[in-house]
Structure formats: C-alpha cells, structure tokens
Amino acid sequence: MTAREHDLNEIREAVAKLCATFPMEYWRETDRERRYPAEFVRALTQAGWLSCLIPEQYGGAGLGISAACAVLEEIQKSGANGAACHAQMYTMGTVLRHCNDAQKAKYLPKIAAGELRLQAFGITEPTAGTDTSSIRTTAVKKGDRYVVNGQKVWTSRAEHSDLMLLLARTTPREQAQKKTDGMSVFIVDMKAALGRGLTIRPIRTMINHATTEVFFDNLEVPSENLVGEEGKGFRYILDGMNAERILIGAECVGDARWFIAKASAYARERKVFGRPIGQNQGVQFPIARAYMAAESAALMVERAAKLYEAGRPCGPESNMAKQLAAEASWQAGDMCLQTHGGFGFAEEYDVERKLRETRLYQVAPISTNLVLCYLAEHVLDLPRSY
Ligand SMILES: Cc1cc2nc3c(=O)[nH]c(=O)nc-3n(C[C@H](O)[C@H](O)[C@H](O)COP(=O)(O)OP(=O)(O)OC[C@H]3O[C@@H](n4cnc5c(N)ncnc54)[C@H](O)[C@@H]3O)c2cc1C
C-alpha cells in the first residue's frame, strides 16, 4: 500500500466511524419528513471533514480532492445521504482557484471553523436549463455595488447556507464576444440578503435534497464580492463543475458499493426453495456485473481526481467519471431492489430511498445526454449537435 492509499484508508475509517453514529432510522426519518440533516452536517463540520480542501493557513486540512472523494464516497457507502453537504466541497473548486487573498482571508477561516456555510451554488435557471450561457439573471454595476435581478431554480441547500456562489450576466449575451463571455461569479451573503432583495422558496421533490427556487429583486452585492475578473465567471465555474463531477462520481461509487454489499448480504441469507437465493446464477450474476461496473467507474473517478489535483485539464475524465459512476450506482440500485424482491420496496430496508437518491445523478449536475454531447464534440471531434 502506498502512503497515499494509507492516508485515504485512514480517512475512510474515520468517516465510517462518524457515520455509524447516525443509524439508518435517522436517514429514514429525515427523508420521510424532508428535514435537513443538520445534526449530521454539524458533526461532519466539527470533525473537520467538510473543510478538508481548505488550505491549512485558513484553518482547513489542506488536502486534495482525492481526500474529499474518500470522505463523500464513505458517507454514501454507509447508507447516508451526503447531498446535504457536498457543495461545501465542490464550491472550493472555484473559491480556491479564483477568489482573491482578501476574500479567502474573510471567508475561509470561518467556513473551516463551521461559523459560515458555503453550501449553495446558483447556476441553473428555469428558462436556460442546461444552456448556461442563456442565463437571464443580471448583475449591473452601480458605484461600489452590483444590483442583481433574476431567478435561479434548483438552488439546493439555499435555506441552510450562509453564502452562495452565484453566476450572473454582467454583459448581455448578444454584446459578448463569445456567448460564454460576459458572465460573472459573486459571493452572496444570503443571510444579509434575505428580505432585502432575496427570496427563497423550497421545492418538494422525490428526494430529501433541500432544493429551492431563489428570486433576486434589486439585490445589492458589494463589488468586493465579485470573484476574479468581471465577465470571466463561466471559466471559474467550470473549475467548480469539474470538481463537482468528480466528487459526485465518488458519491455514486459509494452508493454502488452500498447497494452491492446490501444485495450480497441479503442474497447469502434469504432462503427460498430451501437454498440461499444467491446460489442462483440469475441472482449472483447481476451482483457481479454491478460490481464490475462500480469498480471500473471508481478507476475513472480516481484518474480524474489525480488530474484535477495536478492542475491538469480534466474535463473529459471528470465527465466520464460522473456518468460512469452514476450509471453504475443506478445499475447496482436496480439490481439491489430486484435481489430484495418485495422487501426492496419497504422503507425499512433503505433500498428504495437510496435508489431515489442516486437517480438524481444522471440528471444533475449535468444530464447524461450532455456528457455524451461533450465527449462527442470535444474528444471525438464530431460536429456540435446543439
Ligand atoms: C434535486 C436537484 C438539485 C439540483 N441542485 C442544483 C444546484 O444546487 N445548483 C444548480 O445550479 N443547479 C442544480 N440543479 C439543476 C441541474 O443541474 C439541472 O437540472 C440539470 O443541469 C439539467 O438541466 P434542466 O433540468 O434545465 O434540464 P434541460 O436542460 O431542460 O434538459 C431536459 C432534458 O433534455 C435533454 N437535453 C437538453 N438539450 C439537449 C441536447 N442538445 N441534446 C440532447 N439532450 C438534450 C437533457 O439531457 C435532459 O434530459 C439541481 C437539479 C435537481 C433536480
């Protein structure tokens, strides 16, 4: 075992221990009530896991994205739902690379100490959908502030976050040289903004994801909260998006491993026709197939994470990691449900909950078709289809 693998294993063990203090009934109850798992997020924060990417000089652990992947994978592998907090890790992709020293000094120590939460990433809009360059939320400079107007949708955890990374248009699309130019990223202090131009409305969904619609009505954001240069926000967000895809890939690998372990255990124990159901090839082969898919996806997540850590281009690998892992977790979930027969549908087995939760990752943060479009155009040099 290399030193790196040893360190990652230590992280996995520690996170698994913490997760074990939150029994499955906790996740069933929060899911049933669509309640934010605040206690779990607090425990992870206090143990320092949610700030593992923040450099040591700002109070974090200064680890790379592979460590963050190990944390999130382990959370999912324990049967928990890390969606409540994963954004605090992937927003770092933009913050660490593009915020200035003053912004880092102002926010990072408080995020590392658990005094501030940066859990909201406001990109998607109802009319733009996947076509991010069509966003209509505008930020217009007036003196030392920007005035923001517009709407975001699917802004997850907005009610449970102090800060949001927001993408808005600072130059109209038709006046920008390229359609991806003219967008800017801001750090929005949401607690200060609530009732002063910011309104949050929760959306109830098939999973417990604390997702919302967010409305901006002449919200004033100080100019010092602009990240990097005005108009270059799309590029900054891409760094966050690659990090997000890698981290969500790791979460899906964790989900797949949970489903595979759960199905294998059940197939060994459940006896029908006088023998364990797992003795039938019709039951064991789908488990073995799901295992192969999960392990292959894990390799792609690892490769993407290594490239990201080395500061090298990793768009194709990040996208492939996310998609392969999301497909592997869905395959494993479907197999796990089938292995459990009727009991797979019962809440107390957690299979139906995990299956609902892992389904999201074929749609968000980017849907499967768009990953294929990206690979076709940028890797395979095929004509752009959209
Ligand atoms: C629970 C949840 C949480 C989310 N959290 C966040 C968040 O925190 N922050 C945030 O900014 N966003 C968030 N999202 C938004 C998510 O990233 C988007 O839903 C996703 O990117 C897809 O966009 P859309 O829903 O507008 O689908 P659309 O863009 O409307 O696409 C609809 C369908 O058409 C397909 N499609 C569209 N164009 C093409 C094409 N050219 N070729 C082939 N197929 C195409 C897509 O693949 C998709 O299947 C979240 C979404 C959900 C459901």
Side-chain angles (χ1 to χ4, degrees):
M1 191 191 296
T2 63
R4 176 192 162 89
E5 283 166 350
H6 177 262
D7 291 347
L8 293 180
N9 279 348
E10 282 197 348
I11 291 173
R12 288 177 206 282
E13 276 169 30
V15 173
K17 224 183 230 176
L18 187 152
C19 290
T21 62
F22 290 85
M24 285 303 103
E25 183 45 38
Y26 174 79
W27 295 105
R28 275 171 227 148
E29 183 235 293
T30 47
D31 174 62
R32 205 180 300 130
E33 294 172 11
R34 295 293 189 272
R35 182 168 77 74
Y36 188 70
E39 305 78 9
F40 178 71
V41 177
R42 200 175 307 123
L44 274 180
T45 307
Q46 283 168 357
W49 295 119
L50 290 190
S51 55
C52 67
L53 293 172
I54 296 179
E56 284 171 295
Q57 69 183 109
Y58 299 113
L63 299 171
I65 202 167
S66 301
C69 283
V71 172
L72 290 178
E73 184 197 314
E74 204 56 46
I75 291 173
Q76 299 305 112
K77 198 171 133 224
S78 77
N81 180 8
C85 52
H86 56 195
Q88 185 125 314
M89 304 234 189
Y90 63 67
T91 46
M92 288 300 141
T94 303
V95 171
L96 296 181
R97 292 188 176 181
H98 304 292
C99 279
N100 60 33
D101 288 345
Q103 289 166 338
K104 287 182 188 168
K106 180 171 175 189
Y107 295 115
L108 290 179
K110 288 191 176 158
I111 295 173
E115 291 163 26
L116 281 181
R117 290 164 298 182
L118 172 49
Q119 298 274 16
F121 201 37
I123 313 290
T124 310
E125 296 190 4
T127 53
T130 310
D131 182 7
T132 304
S133 68
S134 298
I135 60 167
R136 292 191 191 165
T137 297
T138 54
V140 178
K141 184 131 197 233
K142 291 215 169 118
D144 62 350
R145 15 213 74 221
Y146 284 85
V147 179
V148 180
N149 280 291
Q151 183 195 344
K152 295 286 169 184
V153 70
W154 306 120
T155 313
S156 303
R157 301 158 299 274
E159 296 170 293
H160 305 281
S161 185
D162 300 288
L163 305 170
M164 175 202 289
L165 273 191
L166 170 72
L167 185 72
R169 271 235 165 255
T170 36
T171 305
R173 181 168 142 145
E174 43 296 348
Q175 286 171 27
Q177 276 198 327
K178 278 193 342 209
K179 62 184 185 171
T180 48
D181 288 345
M183 289 182 273
S184 303
V185 177
F186 298 89
I187 302 173
V188 177
D189 179 345
M190 290 201 294
K191 290 285 175 282
L194 264 180
R196 293 195 186 91
L198 177 78
T199 312
I200 303 174
R201 199 184 293 159
I203 306 176
R204 196 175 161 91
T205 62
M206 67 187 246
I207 45 174
N208 184 23
H209 205 86
T211 197
T212 71
E213 284 179 290
V214 176
F215 300 87
F216 306 97
D217 181 12
N218 287 323
L219 171 71
E220 295 193 358
V221 177
S223 304
E224 66 199 34
N225 286 26
L226 171 73
V227 173
E229 274 181 60
E230 187 184 297
K232 298 204 170 148
F234 187 71
R235 267 173 263 172
Y236 305 154
I237 286 292
L238 281 186
D239 276 334
M241 284 178 170
N242 281 336
E244 183 180 27
R245 283 166 205 180
I246 298 168
L247 291 165
I248 284 179
E251 289 188 297
C252 289
V253 169
D255 279 342
R257 288 179 170 158
W258 183 86
F259 286 125
I260 291 162
K262 182 96 177 165
S264 305
Y266 190 76
R268 281 191 294 268
E269 281 159 24
R270 170 79 168 164
K271 290 206 174 69
V272 182
F273 297 111
R275 59 184 189 168
I277 57 168
Q279 201 175 331
N280 302 299
Q281 290 182 336
V283 173
Q284 58 180 233
F285 282 7
I287 306 180
R289 278 194 183 282
Y291 177 78
M292 284 197 292
E295 293 309 302
S296 325
L299 287 176
M300 187 57 81
V301 172
E302 196 182 320
R303 182 160 144 195
K306 281 184 180 159
L307 287 171
Y308 187 91
E309 272 170 356
R312 291 175 51 198
C314 59
E317 291 78 9
S318 307
N319 277 287
M320 288 190 285
K322 198 281 277 192
Q323 176 125 337
L324 289 171
E327 288 178 353
S329 69
W330 179 248
Q331 179 184 348
D334 190 44
M335 169 282 290
C336 188
L337 187 93
Q338 194 71 18
T339 304
H340 279 74
F343 289 111
F345 292 82
E347 190 187 55
E348 66 174 290
Y349 283 79
D350 301 297
V351 177
E352 58 84 30
R353 171 179 61 82
K354 290 283 282 179
L355 189 62
R356 280 185 281 119
E357 287 166 358
T358 211
R359 184 62 180 82
L360 173 66
Y361 300 121
Q362 289 185 61
V363 172
I366 183 172
S367 63
T368 48
N369 280 358
L370 271 296
V371 169
L372 298 175
C373 288
Y374 172 86
L375 292 175
E377 182 189 348
H378 295 281
V379 180
L380 303 172
D381 201 20
L382 291 165
R384 184 181 168 92
S385 65
Y386 57 103

